[in-house]
Amino acid sequence: MILLMMLPLPARAADPAPSTQPEVSGAQILQDLKAFANTGSVLMIAAHPDDENTQLLTYLARGRHYRTAYLSLTRGDGGQNLLGPEFGAELGLIRTEELLAARRIDSAQQFFTRALDFGFSKRADETLRIWDQEAITADIVRVIRTFRPDVIVTRFNPDIPGGVGTHGHHTASAILAREAFNLLAKDPNAFPEQLKEGLQAWQPKRIFMNTGGPGGRGGGGEGADTVRMDISGTDAVRGISYGAIAAESRSQHKTQGFGQVPAILGGGRGNPGASRPETFTLLGGEAATNDVMDGIDTTWARFKGGEKIAKLTDEAIKNFNVENPAASVPALLAIHQQLTRIFDSGNPVFQAKGRQLNDLIAHCLGLTVQTTVANAQVLPGETLHLHCTVAFTALTPVTLLLSEDRISGPPPTRVELTPGTPFERDFILTLPATTPVSQPYWLRQEAAPGLFRVADSRLIGLPTDPPVHPLYYEFDVGGELPILDDQPVQVVPKASAAQTRRPLEVLAPVSLAFPFDVALFAPGESKPMEVTVTANIADAAGDLRLTAPTGWKVEPSTQRFKSSASSSTSARFTL
């Protein structure tokens, strides 16, 4: 029997807390329950990693419990690196991971477009010519339709003439955000290929420019279309200010020199009592008076049939005991039952909330799953020997459903789990031979000027590639069927914290490497060229050819190679 459900669930966007986390505090579960009760959402849009307002993200996600996300148009590929020699695509990878590390702290999600960061640009019109304005606008619309924000917040002024006086990328990000809001996201005729993939047109309520504190940033100010909000406060789980959490989040931008230790205590933004006013200037949509979310129903009552979920969730929050989270399991199961009745599989909000509720039930049960593999480096078509461990601590009866084929196969085998006694099982999984080699999806093809090329449009917007082969574990708890997702990992006990759990990485059967990136030739000169061939399969053999420009000669034209697994051999040519 295989302990996995092959369900077509969408990939998470920068999930801040994997479901396999072994222990979650009662205070954190209560925080997550309040987030489940809140259906409001805010999307921040700017140009680069480190352009985001981390305190605003922290306040909205952790203080107001909104679904909150940051869309960075670029990955910072053209920026500086104060830590090492990596630039270009390598720096973009590092800065992507820095943003994800920041989001794990402030609890927001992360998205990207395909825009290439090409360094400093003086004018927005120059930026838009290089980026391919239509393609990047389509990406913003895709993220809006995927995330469905109620409110969009830009970080820069779209109305500076020509974008002069600031970074052209900054101004362009606000111009495109407003264009997506005003014209395209709600239009079913705009980018119809996205609708064919299952997305739906969506119109946020309003779009603001977040101009910062008093005086504004980028040309904002006071006026009839301006809202002021105080985003200070103390986080209920960590007991420190939103400013301190924001400083910790921002410190993850280490390549940009923000790696200082945040001031948890003391004055300024780290002081729980310090006021932090922020100014928001309306760029489009319905005006607001006191709050960016004015007039928006952020409860479950906004959805047909959601009134009962709203009532049940409010009661669950009121009665929640942080010292005994398991006591809330019956209330959560009642919410799960009602959510199942009204579930809209085409609505990304329902998908996100469904995963959130499943995790809440698991955390209250103390239910964890872990799937391990001996070696995380695998090959397409390889048969993997996996080991799964399922455990829970509550006294509520929990049944694991084992099924080889959930859709058309026989009824699943039921395994009654025992509190405090882990259930363990070995099983075999064969990766499809068509599984692509692990490579950041935006780097699989050669980029166009200003734009990454992405063949699979369903990946556009995601911060990283989805897991190689996600697994889904289904349980029966009181007649409800929560599902937890997991991915196979290699556990390396003596590794650093970042390397302890290594997810699957698909290697090419054979890889090639030159000893250097650039070779200089004088006219008429010949030079030896050596290629290292490394095999990741047993008895790798083949013919190696070099492709050279017209007029160049390569001798010999073909070199035969043969190598055993995990070994290298060299092929020598003369150019």
Side-chain angles (χ1 to χ4, degrees):
M1 290 295 180
I2 297 179
L3 294 154
L4 52 92
M5 305 290 109
M6 310 303 290
L7 303 180
L9 296 181
R12 298 174 186 243
D15 184 353
S19 61
T20 53
Q21 189 171 347
E23 184 176 352
V24 181
S25 69
Q28 182 62 59
I29 295 173
L30 179 58
Q31 175 101 324
D32 294 341
L33 182 55
K34 291 178 179 179
F36 173 81
N38 195 315
T39 60
S41 55
V42 179
L43 176 65
M44 184 181 294
I45 301 178
H48 310 106
D50 76 29
D51 284 344
E52 75 272 29
N53 182 338
T54 50
Q55 180 149 344
L56 180 58
L57 292 175
T58 302
Y59 171 76
L60 293 172
R62 298 181 67 89
R64 299 283 291 271
H65 308 299
Y66 298 138
R67 291 171 55 246
T68 306
Y70 175 48
L71 169 58
S72 176
L73 268 57
T74 75
R75 296 177 183 268
D77 320 74
Q80 60 185 345
N81 183 1
L82 301 183
L83 295 185
E86 298 85 2
F87 290 98
E90 291 178 335
L91 178 58
L93 286 168
I94 295 172
R95 297 192 70 184
T96 294
E97 293 299 330
E98 288 178 340
L99 271 178
L100 292 176
R103 298 296 80 84
R104 285 190 287 270
I105 294 168
D106 58 40
S107 298
Q109 297 182 50
Q110 183 65 51
F111 295 98
F112 292 94
T113 74
R114 291 172 291 168
L116 256 170
D117 182 11
F118 54 86
F120 189 82
S121 174
K122 295 182 178 180
R123 300 178 60 91
D125 53 359
E126 174 195 50
T127 297
L128 294 175
R129 285 197 305 271
I130 295 175
W131 271 356
D132 186 337
Q133 180 171 348
E134 182 176 1
I136 303 306
T137 304
D139 291 357
I140 297 174
V141 169
R142 177 183 290 275
V143 172
I144 291 173
R145 289 171 172 174
T146 298
F147 187 68
R148 292 198 179 188
D150 295 309
V151 171
I152 294 175
V153 176
T154 74
R155 292 288 287 142
F156 302 101
N157 191 341
D159 294 322
I160 297 177
V164 177
T166 183
H167 197 319
H169 294 182
H170 293 167
T171 307
S173 70
I175 290 173
L176 296 183
R178 184 167 63 177
E179 181 179 357
F181 172 90
N182 286 338
L183 301 175
L184 301 171
K186 65 180 178 181
D187 183 0
N189 296 315
F191 311 114
E193 68 281 0
Q194 298 178 6
L195 306 183
K196 293 178 182 178
E197 294 173 10
L199 296 177
Q200 299 175 3
W202 177 254
Q203 180 59 53
K205 189 84 165 181
R206 56 181 66 98
I207 181 172
F208 287 108
M209 171 178 55
N210 170 217
T211 53
R217 173 186 184 183
E222 301 292 346
D225 291 334
T226 300
V227 173
R228 293 285 300 280
M229 289 172 53
D230 185 351
I231 63 171
S232 62
T234 301
D235 184 74
V237 177
R238 299 188 60 185
I240 59 177
S241 71
Y242 299 135
I245 294 174
E248 186 179 345
S249 170
R250 194 160 186 80
S251 73
Q252 302 308 304
H253 296 293
K254 296 179 179 6
T255 55
Q256 307 306 294
F258 299 153
Q260 71 275 13
V261 177
I264 299 298
L265 299 175
R269 296 181 180 180
N271 186 346
S275 176
R276 175 67 185 272
E278 287 286 334
T279 304
F280 302 86
T281 302
L282 190 70
L283 297 179
E286 297 185 16
T289 303
N290 301 310
D291 191 279
V292 296
M293 300 294 279
D294 276 357
I296 298 173
D297 185 355
T298 62
T299 72
W300 275 97
R302 71 194 295 178
F303 301 113
K304 184 179 180 180
E307 297 86 353
K308 188 170 183 179
I309 292 179
K311 181 180 179 180
L312 290 171
T313 306
D314 288 344
E315 292 174 354
I317 292 172
K318 180 180 178 180
N319 298 322
F320 189 83
N321 183 350
V322 295
E323 301 299 328
N324 183 20
S328 292
V329 169
L332 295 178
L333 294 178
I335 297 170
H336 191 279
Q337 182 182 57
Q338 186 62 23
L339 180 58
T340 302
R341 289 173 179 170
I342 69 168
F343 195 83
D344 179 2
S345 60
N347 188 329
V349 177
F350 277 81
Q351 296 170 359
K353 291 296 182 180
R355 288 193 298 264
Q356 192 174 38
L357 182 57
N358 285 341
D359 287 345
L360 277 167
I361 294 171
H363 293 158
C364 286
L365 289 169
L367 175 62
T368 60
V369 298
Q370 177 171 270
T371 312
T372 58
V373 63
N375 187 352
Q377 293 186 325
V378 297
L379 299 170
E382 183 176 345
T383 297
L384 309 181
H385 296 269
L386 304 179
H387 180 80
C388 90
T389 303
V390 182
F392 81 110
T393 58
L395 297 179
T396 303
V398 176
T399 300
L400 174 63
L401 306 181
L402 306 184
S403 176
E404 294 181 348
D405 188 338
R406 186 173 186 267
I407 298 175
S408 60
T413 301
R414 300 173 63 88
V415 177
E416 306 295 333
L417 302 180
T418 303
T421 302
F423 170 81
E424 300 188 54
R425 177 69 63 90
D426 294 317
F427 63 100
I428 294 175
L429 172 69
T430 300
L431 283 182
T434 56
T435 303
V437 171
S438 294
Q439 167 85 338
Y441 72 85
W442 63 96
L443 298 177
R444 292 177 188 172
Q445 296 178 276
E446 186 175 355
L451 183 73
F452 290 115
R453 298 181 191 271
V454 178
D456 187 350
S457 60
R458 296 170 300 178
L459 298 175
I460 295 173
L462 294 180
T464 57
D465 289 80
V468 170
H469 203 294
L471 308 177
Y472 300 94
Y473 291 80
E474 187 173 33
F475 300 88
D476 183 338
V477 186
E480 294 301 303
L481 303 175
I483 296 173
L484 298 184
D485 60 287
D486 192 34
Q487 59 173 312
V489 296
Q490 176 186 357
V491 177
V492 186
K494 295 184 179 180
S496 64
Q499 288 289 314
T500 298
R501 293 168 54 86
R502 299 178 183 176
L504 293 183
E505 177 187 10
V506 182
L507 305 181
V510 174
S511 63
L512 308 176
F514 291 93
F516 40 76
D517 294 329
V518 177
L520 299 179
F521 285 76
E525 184 181 9
S526 296
K527 284 190 175 182
M529 179 66 65
E530 190 173 90
V531 182
T532 300
V533 182
T534 301
N536 293 312
I537 58 175
D539 301 323
D543 295 318
L544 182 64
R545 300 179 180 85
L546 297 185
T547 301
T550 302
W552 289 61
K553 295 180 181 179
V554 180
E555 295 180 349
S557 59
T558 301
Q559 286 274 46
R560 184 73 178 170
F561 71 87
K562 187 174 182 180
S563 182
S564 58
S566 302
S567 65
S568 299
T569 186
S570 296
R572 190 179 181 90
F573 297 87
T574 299
L575 275 69

